[in-house]
């Protein structure tokens, strides 16, 4: 991939004995402990007033390193975009700091895609802050992550590569807010054209670059 810039990191931690599990009510205590740790690290997306794993309109996945819960990711039917029978949103992701760079999020993607298909969804997407240039370069397939001994690097799998930047969509949680996010979507049904009509979606051609002129036009 000649258009991919690879970051060179001299010290790479290799995490062994990593597994992914779909949440069941028997895991509730693990989630409660994890949400407290996530809050201490500054992530309130899993706060109890925002998320309940037993009642969420979707499903939760957990990545373990050895026997320790390292990461959580949630797939919720997309009420944000007004089409919960069509689209699912991957959200509420957190990985504990000591497990960063373990590719935990990538490891959950295949199960999340399969769940979406099994439950009749046509689109699966996530959003990300437009100001985070490093992660957006990764999500836009302009940059890779270091290889850590996987048989196929997760950023090169068909599952991950299927998530594409939507070059004319901007996600805004609140119509009155100025927090903008790019949209990365996997269209699960061939030929389906996803054009949600909701206040959270602003249609404006940006092609992965949002500067002050774009902000002025959409805010």
């Amino acid at each position: 991939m000649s258009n991919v810039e690879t970051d060179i990191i001299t010290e790479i931690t290799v995490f062994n004995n990593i597994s992914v599990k779909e949440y069941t009510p028997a895991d509730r205590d693990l989630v409660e402990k994890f949400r407290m740790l996530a809050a201490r690290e500054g992530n309130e997306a899993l706060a109890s007033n925002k998320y309940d794993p037993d009642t969420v309109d979707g499903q939760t996945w957990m990545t373990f390193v050895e026997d320790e819960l390292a990461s959580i990711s949630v797939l919720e039917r997309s009420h944000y975009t007004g089409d919960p029978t069509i689209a699912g949103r991957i959200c509420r992701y957190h990985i504990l700091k000591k497990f960063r760079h373990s590719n935990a999020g990538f490891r959950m993607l295949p199960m999340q895609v399969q769940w979406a298909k099994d439950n009749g969804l046509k689109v699966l997407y996530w959003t990300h802050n437009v100001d985070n240039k490093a992660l957006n370069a990764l999500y836009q397939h302009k940059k890779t992550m270091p290889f850590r001994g996987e048989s196929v690097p997760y950023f090169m799998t068909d599952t991950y590569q299927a998530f594409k930047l939507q070059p004319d969509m901007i996600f805004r949680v609140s119509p009155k807010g100025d927090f903008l996010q790019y949209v990365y979507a996997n269209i699960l049904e061939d030929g389906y054209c996803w054009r949600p009509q909701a206040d959270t979606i602003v249609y404006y051609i940006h092609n992965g670059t949002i500067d002050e002129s774009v902000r002025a036009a959409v805010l």
Side-chain angles (χ1 to χ4, degrees):
M1 299 177 65
S2 59
N3 63 330
V4 174
E5 173 189 349
T6 302
D7 279 357
I8 298 175
I9 298 180
T10 56
E11 295 185 7
I12 298 174
T13 301
V14 176
F15 294 89
N16 297 312
N17 298 322
I18 300 178
S19 60
V20 177
K21 182 180 185 294
E22 189 171 304
Y23 172 85
T24 69
D27 301 311
R28 181 71 189 228
D29 287 347
L30 287 173
V31 171
E32 293 302 329
K33 292 176 183 177
F34 187 88
R35 81 162 96 225
M36 288 190 295
L37 294 173
R40 290 175 191 168
E41 294 186 350
N43 189 339
E44 295 291 340
L46 294 167
S48 58
N49 64 331
K50 298 178 180 179
Y51 162 72
D52 185 331
D54 293 322
T55 61
V56 66
D57 191 7
Q59 183 55 281
T60 299
W61 284 264
M62 306 175 294
T63 298
F64 292 83
V65 176
E66 301 291 350
D67 294 325
E68 186 172 355
L69 179 54
S71 180
I72 280 179
S73 180
V74 182
L75 189 166
E76 296 181 0
R77 290 184 177 273
S78 187
H79 297 278
Y80 269 122
T81 50
D83 52 357
T85 63
I86 292 173
R89 183 183 183 211
I90 296 173
C91 56
R92 308 195 186 284
Y93 176 70
H94 187 72
I95 180 168
L96 298 179
K97 288 182 179 179
K98 66 180 179 178
F99 297 117
R100 297 280 164 88
H101 306 299
S102 65
N103 295 341
F106 294 147
R107 296 171 192 270
M108 292 182 267
L109 271 183
M111 294 183 182
Q112 292 173 321
V113 169
Q114 191 59 54
W115 189 96
K117 291 178 178 179
D118 291 345
N119 286 272
L121 298 179
K122 299 179 179 180
V123 177
L124 188 57
Y125 75 97
W126 71 73
T127 64
H128 197 70
N129 182 358
V130 301
D131 293 327
N132 190 326
K133 294 183 179 180
L135 278 179
N136 284 309
L138 179 69
Y139 297 153
Q140 292 173 26
H141 311 297
K142 297 175 181 177
K143 168 182 151 183
T144 66
M145 291 181 68
F147 174 69
R148 292 182 172 81
E150 307 95 343
S151 57
V152 177
Y154 287 96
F155 56 81
M156 294 294 291
T157 62
D158 291 342
T159 300
Y160 174 66
Q161 291 287 323
F163 285 85
K164 305 291 186 184
L165 172 73
Q166 303 304 291
D168 65 343
M169 295 173 66
I170 301 170
F171 185 87
R172 185 169 57 177
V173 173
S174 170
K176 297 181 180 180
D178 60 358
F179 180 53
L180 305 180
Q181 299 178 61
Y182 291 122
V183 179
Y184 300 94
N186 181 350
I187 308 302
L188 304 174
E189 181 179 290
D190 289 344
Y192 183 74
C193 181
W194 185 49
R195 306 297 286 177
Q197 301 300 310
D199 291 340
T200 54
I201 297 294
V202 179
Y203 288 100
Y204 192 93
I205 296 175
H206 56 78
N207 293 316
T209 300
I210 292 183
D211 55 21
E212 290 307 313
S213 65
V214 175
R215 289 181 185 273
V218 303
L219 293 176

